[in-house]
Every structure is written in C-alpha cells, then in structure tokens.
Amino acid sequence: MTPRKSAKTTAAPVEREHGLHLLRSMVRIRRFEDKCAELYTATKIRGFLHLYDGEEAVAVGVLEALTADDAVVATYREHGHALVRGVAAGAILAEMYGRQEGCSRGRGGSMHLFDARTRFYGGNAIVGGGLPLAVGLALADTMQQKRRVTCCFFGDGAVAEGEFHESLNLAALWRLPVLFVCENNLYAMGTALRYAQAATDLAARAASYGMAAAAVDGMDVLAVEAAAHQAAAAIRAGEGPQFLECRTYRFRAHSMYDAELYRTRAEVEQWKQRCPIASFTERLRGAGLVSDGDLEAIEAEVAREINEAVAFAEAGSLEPVEDLTRFVYSERRLP
Amino acid sequence: MTTTAGTMRKLTYREAVREAIREAMHKDERVFLMGEDVGRYGGCFAVSKGLLEEFGPERIRDTPLAESGFTGAGIGAALGGMRPIVEIMTGNFSLLAADQIINTAAVLLHMSGGQFNVPVVIRLATGGGRQVAAQHSRSLEGWFAHIPGIKVLAPATVNDARGMLWTALEDPDPVLIFENSNLYNMEGPLAVEAGAVDIDRARVRRDGRDITIISYGASLFKALEAAEILAKDGIEVEVVDLRTLRPLDEATFLASVARTHRALVVDEGWRSGSLAAEISARIMEGAFYDLDAPVARLCTAEVPLPYAKHLEEAALPQVAGIVALVKKMVGGHG
C-alpha cells in the first residue's frame, strides 16, 4: 500500500465522528506516554519504561477491527494497546506506580499490563514470546467453535526469533484465527533491521508460510484501520491467519536507559515530519472535518482523563508485604 | 506390594499412562493431547498408540518439531479454556521450550496479579540408562523444580502413572510430569477401581528403622532393591518416594528421618545444585538434631552421560552403590 501524503484534499477521508474518535485515541496515547516520561523522571515510575510515541496509528487502527470478544496479546511497549483496548488509564498508571490498584496489582509494571475483562493477555517482555500464546488462544477458540480473533502484536525484532517462525507455521498449518501484527519500527532495540535480517521484506517472509500478508503505512491510521478490517474480516470468514506489517517509527528512545547512539537526530526528525497525529489532524482539517475547537476539546478531555489517572495512581495503596508470595499458585480450584 | 485376586490387575507403566489419557479425554472434552509424533506414529514411546483412532486428529494432535511453538500453544490453549496435555518427547527437548515453560507458564498468574492461571499439563520422558548418549539422557526434573509457579511430578509406580494425570489436569496451574523412560515397560499391579491420586504428598514405600532412602522415579526401584538386599544383612531401610518434586513434601521425609536418624538421597540428577542438595539442606534445617550421621547423596557422576554401556552404568546411581553406601553409613551402629 502507498502512504497517503497529501493533506490537501477536499474529499472527506473519513466520517467526522469516526475521524474525531481515531484522533482522540491517538492523542490519548501520546499524552499518556508524555506523562509517563515525566513521572519516570520524577521517579514515580521505575524499572523499564518503553514508550509508544510515533506508533500510535498502529494500535489505534488495528484495534478498531476487533470486537469485545476478541483477544489481544501485546509486547512490553503496550501502554497504548491497553488504553485503546479499554483498560482504565488509572489502572495502567497505578500499575506503573507499583500499587495494588494497578491492572496487574503492581506485580507486573509497565511491561506486564494484563486485564481479563478486556481479554488483554499482556504485556510480554520476551521478544517473540507472545506469538505461541496467541496461537494457543486461537487454537482454543477453534476447538471450542468460538468465532473470535486473537490479535498478536510484536516488533520487527521478533521476526528473528524461532518462536516467530514456529508460530506462523502452526497458525497457517491449523488455519487458526490469528491476526499477526508486526510493528516494524526499523529497530530491534538499537540494531537496525538491515543489520539483523538478510531479507527485510517482513510481509514476504510471512507469506512464505502460506498466509495472506500485507504491508501498510503504519503512520497512517486510516490505512492501518482499513488493512486491519480487511484482515479481520478474512479471519472471521474462516480464511485462516493473516499477517499485517505496519511500517512505523518510534520517536522516543527504546527505553529510558537508551542513549540513542545507533540513529541520527536527522533521521528521527525526518520521521517526526510524518507524525501520525499531526498528519491525520491536517487531513481532517483539510477536509473541513475538524475545527480548532474540536482539537481543544480533545486535548482538554484527554488532559482531564490523565490528571484523574495520576490522582488515582497517587492515591493507590501498597500491597501488604505479607501477601508477597500470593499469585505464585492459584488460590482456587478449577470448576 | 500384594495383589488380591479379582480386585487387582497387572499392566505396564506405559499402559497406565495411556489409560489415564484416555479416561481424561472421555471425562472432559476440553482435554486434548498435542506433541511430536503422538498421533500417526503412536507416540515415541508408544504411550499414545491407538488414541488417534479413538479420538481423531483434532484431539490427538501431531505437531511439527517446534517445542517452543507447540508448548506455548498449549499454554495459550489452556488460557483459552482448554485442558491441554502437551507431550514433549523427552525432557532434553524441553530446553527448546524452556522459554514458554519458565518465562510464560510459570509467571503469567503472578505477573497478571492473579488474573490468568494456566491449567496446562506437560508430560516429558526423562532419565538415562538406555545408551542413547548425552543429548537424550538428561534428568532435568530437579532443574525445573527450582522454578516457582510450576508443579513438578515424578510418578514412579503404575498407580501414580495412572492416577496423577487426572489430578494434574484438575490443577489450575502448570504441571510438569516427568516419566522415566526406563519405567514404560515395567509391569505393576493396579486396583481395578484405581482412580485419581494426590499430587502433593510423598509416600513411604517401605518401612524400616535404620536409615531413610529418599528417592523418586526410576531410582526408587533401585532403592527398594537395595533395601531388599540390605534386609538380608539385618539392615532395615525405610524408602520414601517423593512423587512430587515441587512443592516438596518435606514433612514426610523429615518424619522418616526423625525415626531412622540417617538419610541417603538417591537422585539421577547431577549432585551440584541438585534436588538432592535441596533435600539435604531441608534435612539440615528440619531434622539436624535427629541425625546420627551426615546426610549422604548418591547422584549421577558429573559427566554428560556417555554412550558406552559400562561407562553409563558407572555414571548412574546403581543398586550396588546404594548397598555399599548404606552399609558404610549404618556400619558400627546397626
């Protein structure tokens, strides 16, 4: 698919309310991540923190194609996916504060957000580790005749892992309802794709397993959304797993420890010119779909949500140390 | 063990495991078996022979040689509401699935703050002694027993091979079952009415007053054979079968040591950093003042298991070695 660059169109690219919804979702992620960075600097958040700035269009566009029954398996850079999926911002932030009101009771932190209610299966910090899990969730659905999709996010780094290849083969072999979403941000931590892979066309490699695979401009939320809808529809029609490579870029460092020695500022600035939020805003503006008032309203609404989330996390409580060894084994028998 | 005509029958360990799988699949439609060569081949050790014909390829599911992929798929299927039995052909190959077992199955409940438990059962053949050399002879069960979040079983008897699987399937958390491949051909008695058994307690398999031998799996039978020989010399050996390696039922072996005042651990794992080391430490912590002699260990020599028969036999714990060591420990006090 070709990136859509022109903002000077008069034809409406999207229905107004939906456009505002997509924009709001991306802004929520961006402002949330900005707040996380600030709270990390203020030492409210510790450990590893991986921010999603620049990649918002991927989570927002893809998750539009899912229903509440579907499952999501994500990576350690998953705040945005959790937010869009419907995990409360306060519960996510409280998790990073290590509070028991967090979505994983403070046992997981930034990299391990979980939420049973929204079928959000983490939050996996082993690169490639989520793919077999997604295959299994889809296998369970197939064996139980549940018509659901399991959506599995991973980065370009995961393509080098054996688990990637084992999982794609299994999903294709058994025709399982998995939507594989590769967030190709060009770097596996600090190693560029071209230094890690002999063949860098990732969609082509997925296609070699016998599944439909497409690459899409991951900086264009409408393109991502359209591709995800198409892939999800094919899965729901029983056509087996689908692979979507979203070509995107991470604006911030890999984590808060990263000195970014492996890429130039010029490269980062160049990609920032393609900011998914700014470019989509311009498109909506160009089509006369949003006003300054709309944008201000979105910013105000998001700021309020984030302020409330911070207050929720700040007010959170610490789990008693006596409970340290809970959740190693289940406290209940199975039905 | 005695058999009573009419109420007991004889079957092999292999048949016991197969019956356990078959019964579980009849009882619960969420149960399925997945692994390399479990279907059309009939199982590497013929455990699942005939099950494909009975249950079909959906529930007796052959997989590619992708241990991490299909073990992870089993974990995912368990999360998704199924009760998978994943067969990893041998424990050696579990190293290729270790990421999924240790980094996913063992930690998901904890990392999710109690939201996502993983009711998967993973069966693995284990042990040396079959002249299949270093890459096929490891006993890694003690190594997995190091990991919080999983349970590790080592059924030795036909009754446990038959009864532990169902209890493991009913467990809400990941359970690894290590079946020593030397036991598959062993015949043993099984009550016609035999059913599920507990998976959290050790058992005293032979009563004795002079020394306690603590063991599990195939080594259990070497310990029992040694006890038989030693009895002729008037040394009464108590033999404890651990059955479950994590969590360890230390109450049972500590009580035994408190009665006999001597302890020998027989373990096919290597001695350094072993399960035998853990048991020895527990005895020091929990029964030190009951001891009349230092705790002893008989483990596999610190060498990758060699192919040559005489060298492999020399590396593994053997009956003669147990007898000699017990005599030395008890000598002068018997």
Side-chain angles (χ1 to χ4, degrees), chain B residues 210-212 257 260-265 279-281 283-284 287-288 290-298 325-326 328-330 333:
Chain B
D210 297 322
I211 183 170
T212 299
V257 173
T260 64
H261 310 294
R262 288 180 181 84
L264 165 65
V265 189
I279 291 163
S280 174
I283 294 170
M284 300 306 175
F288 183 78
D290 294 312
L291 289 173
D292 284 346
V295 175
R297 291 183 282 161
L298 192 58
L325 191 50
V326 168
K328 201 173 135 197
M329 291 172 71
V330 177
H333 301 277

Coordinates of all heavy atoms in Angstrom, one line a residue, chain B residues 210-212 257 260-265 279-281 283-284 287-288 290-298 325-326 328-330 333:
Chain B
D210 N 16.5 -48.3 60.3 CA 17.9 -47.9 60.4 C 18.3 -46.7 59.6 O 19.3 -46.0 59.9 CB 18.7 -49.1 60.0 CG 18.5 -50.3 60.9 OD1 18.4 -50.1 62.1 OD2 18.4 -51.5 60.4
I211 N 17.7 -46.5 58.5 CA 18.1 -45.4 57.6 C 16.9 -45.1 56.6 O 16.1 -46.0 56.3 CB 19.4 -45.8 56.8 CG1 19.8 -44.6 55.9 CG2 19.2 -47.1 55.9 CD1 21.2 -44.8 55.3
T212 N 16.8 -43.9 56.2 CA 15.8 -43.5 55.2 C 16.5 -43.2 53.9 O 17.5 -42.5 53.8 CB 15.1 -42.2 55.6 OG1 14.5 -42.5 56.9 CG2 14.1 -41.7 54.6
V257 N 13.1 -39.4 58.7 CA 14.5 -39.2 59.2 C 14.5 -39.1 60.7 O 15.4 -39.7 61.4 CB 15.2 -38.0 58.5 CG1 16.5 -37.7 59.2 CG2 15.3 -38.2 57.0
T260 N 14.5 -42.8 61.8 CA 15.7 -43.6 61.4 C 17.0 -43.0 61.7 O 18.0 -43.7 61.8 CB 15.7 -43.9 59.9 OG1 15.8 -42.7 59.2 CG2 14.3 -44.6 59.5
H261 N 17.0 -41.7 61.8 CA 18.3 -40.9 62.2 C 19.3 -40.9 61.2 O 20.5 -40.5 61.4 CB 18.8 -41.4 63.6 CG 17.8 -41.5 64.6 ND1 17.1 -40.4 65.1 CD2 17.2 -42.6 65.2 CE1 16.2 -40.8 66.0 NE2 16.3 -42.1 66.1
R262 N 19.1 -41.5 60.0 CA 20.1 -41.4 58.9 C 19.3 -41.2 57.6 O 18.2 -41.7 57.4 CB 20.9 -42.7 58.8 CG 21.9 -42.9 59.9 CD 22.6 -44.3 59.8 NE 23.5 -44.5 60.8 CZ 23.2 -45.0 62.0 NH1 21.9 -45.3 62.3 NH2 24.1 -45.2 63.0
A263 N 20.0 -40.5 56.7 CA 19.3 -40.2 55.4 C 20.3 -40.3 54.2 O 21.4 -39.8 54.3 CB 18.7 -38.8 55.4
L264 N 19.8 -41.0 53.2 CA 20.6 -41.0 51.9 C 19.6 -40.6 50.8 O 18.5 -41.1 50.8 CB 21.0 -42.5 51.7 CG 21.5 -42.8 50.2 CD1 22.8 -42.0 49.9 CD2 21.8 -44.3 50.1
V265 N 20.1 -39.7 50.0 CA 19.2 -39.2 48.9 C 19.8 -39.9 47.6 O 21.0 -39.7 47.3 CB 19.2 -37.7 48.7 CG1 18.2 -37.2 47.7 CG2 19.0 -37.0 50.1
I279 N 17.2 -31.4 49.2 CA 16.6 -32.2 50.2 C 17.6 -32.3 51.4 O 17.2 -32.3 52.6 CB 16.3 -33.6 49.6 CG1 15.1 -33.5 48.6 CG2 16.0 -34.7 50.7 CD1 15.0 -34.6 47.7
S280 N 18.8 -32.5 51.1 CA 19.9 -32.5 52.1 C 19.8 -31.2 53.0 O 19.8 -31.3 54.2 CB 21.2 -32.6 51.5 OG 22.2 -32.5 52.5
A281 N 19.7 -30.1 52.4 CA 19.6 -28.8 53.1 C 18.3 -28.8 54.0 O 18.4 -28.4 55.1 CB 19.6 -27.7 52.1
I283 N 16.9 -31.3 55.3 CA 17.1 -32.2 56.5 C 17.9 -31.5 57.5 O 17.7 -31.6 58.7 CB 17.7 -33.5 56.0 CG1 16.7 -34.3 55.1 CG2 18.1 -34.4 57.2 CD1 17.2 -35.5 54.4
M284 N 19.0 -30.8 57.0 CA 19.8 -30.0 58.0 C 18.9 -29.0 58.7 O 19.1 -28.8 59.9 CB 20.9 -29.2 57.2 CG 21.9 -30.1 56.4 SD 22.6 -31.4 57.4 CE 23.5 -32.2 56.2
A287 N 15.8 -31.4 60.6 CA 16.0 -32.7 61.4 C 17.4 -32.8 61.8 O 17.8 -33.9 62.1 CB 15.5 -33.9 60.5
F288 N 18.2 -31.7 61.9 CA 19.6 -31.8 62.2 C 19.9 -32.6 63.5 O 20.7 -33.5 63.6 CB 20.2 -30.4 62.3 CG 21.6 -30.4 62.6 CD1 22.5 -30.6 61.5 CD2 22.1 -30.1 63.9 CE1 23.9 -30.5 61.8 CE2 23.5 -30.1 64.1 CZ 24.4 -30.3 63.1
D290 N 18.1 -34.8 64.9 CA 17.7 -36.2 64.9 C 18.8 -37.1 64.2 O 18.7 -38.3 64.2 CB 16.4 -36.3 64.1 CG 15.3 -35.7 64.8 OD1 15.1 -35.9 66.0 OD2 14.5 -34.9 64.2
L291 N 19.8 -36.4 63.6 CA 20.7 -37.2 62.7 C 21.8 -37.9 63.6 O 22.4 -37.3 64.5 CB 21.4 -36.3 61.7 CG 20.5 -35.8 60.5 CD1 21.2 -34.8 59.7 CD2 20.0 -37.0 59.7
D292 N 22.1 -39.1 63.2 CA 23.3 -39.8 63.8 C 24.4 -39.8 62.8 O 25.5 -40.3 63.2 CB 22.9 -41.3 64.1 CG 22.0 -41.3 65.4 OD1 21.9 -40.3 66.1 OD2 21.4 -42.4 65.6
A293 N 24.2 -39.4 61.6 CA 25.3 -39.4 60.6 C 25.0 -38.3 59.6 O 23.9 -37.8 59.5 CB 25.3 -40.7 59.9
P294 N 26.0 -37.8 58.9 CA 25.8 -36.8 57.9 C 24.9 -37.3 56.8 O 24.9 -38.5 56.5 CB 27.2 -36.5 57.3 CG 28.2 -37.1 58.3 CD 27.5 -38.2 59.0
V295 N 24.1 -36.4 56.3 CA 23.2 -36.8 55.1 C 24.1 -37.2 54.0 O 25.1 -36.5 53.7 CB 22.3 -35.7 54.7 CG1 21.5 -36.0 53.5 CG2 21.4 -35.3 55.9
A296 N 23.8 -38.3 53.3 CA 24.6 -38.7 52.1 C 23.8 -38.6 50.8 O 22.6 -38.6 50.9 CB 25.1 -40.1 52.3
R297 N 24.5 -38.4 49.7 CA 23.8 -38.4 48.4 C 24.5 -39.3 47.4 O 25.7 -39.4 47.4 CB 23.9 -36.9 47.9 CG 23.1 -35.9 48.6 CD 23.2 -34.6 48.0 NE 24.5 -33.9 48.3 CZ 25.0 -32.9 47.6 NH1 24.4 -32.5 46.5 NH2 26.1 -32.3 47.9
L298 N 23.6 -40.0 46.7 CA 24.1 -40.7 45.6 C 23.5 -40.2 44.3 O 22.3 -40.3 44.1 CB 23.8 -42.2 45.7 CG 24.5 -43.2 44.8 CD1 26.1 -43.0 44.9 CD2 24.1 -44.6 45.1
L325 N 27.0 -47.9 50.2 CA 26.9 -46.6 50.9 C 26.1 -46.8 52.2 O 26.5 -46.3 53.3 CB 26.3 -45.6 50.0 CG 26.4 -44.1 50.5 CD1 27.9 -43.7 50.9 CD2 26.0 -43.2 49.3
V326 N 25.0 -47.5 52.1 CA 24.2 -47.7 53.3 C 25.0 -48.5 54.4 O 24.9 -48.1 55.6 CB 22.9 -48.4 53.0 CG1 22.1 -48.9 54.2 CG2 22.0 -47.5 52.1
K328 N 28.1 -48.6 54.8 CA 29.1 -47.7 55.4 C 28.4 -46.7 56.4 O 29.0 -46.5 57.5 CB 29.7 -46.9 54.3 CG 31.1 -46.3 54.6 CD 31.7 -45.6 53.4 CE 32.3 -44.3 53.7 NZ 32.5 -43.5 52.5
M329 N 27.3 -46.2 56.1 CA 26.6 -45.2 56.9 C 26.1 -45.9 58.2 O 26.1 -45.3 59.3 CB 25.4 -44.6 56.2 CG 25.8 -43.7 55.1 SD 24.4 -43.1 54.1 CE 23.6 -42.0 55.3
V330 N 25.6 -47.1 58.1 CA 25.0 -47.8 59.2 C 26.0 -48.6 60.0 O 25.9 -48.8 61.2 CB 23.8 -48.7 58.7 CG1 23.2 -49.5 59.9 CG2 22.8 -47.9 58.0
H333 N 26.9 -49.0 63.9 CA 25.8 -48.5 64.7 C 24.6 -49.5 64.6 O 23.6 -49.3 65.3 CB 25.4 -47.1 64.2 CG 26.5 -46.1 64.3 ND1 26.8 -45.5 65.5 CD2 27.4 -45.7 63.4 CE1 27.8 -44.7 65.3 NE2 28.2 -44.8 64.1

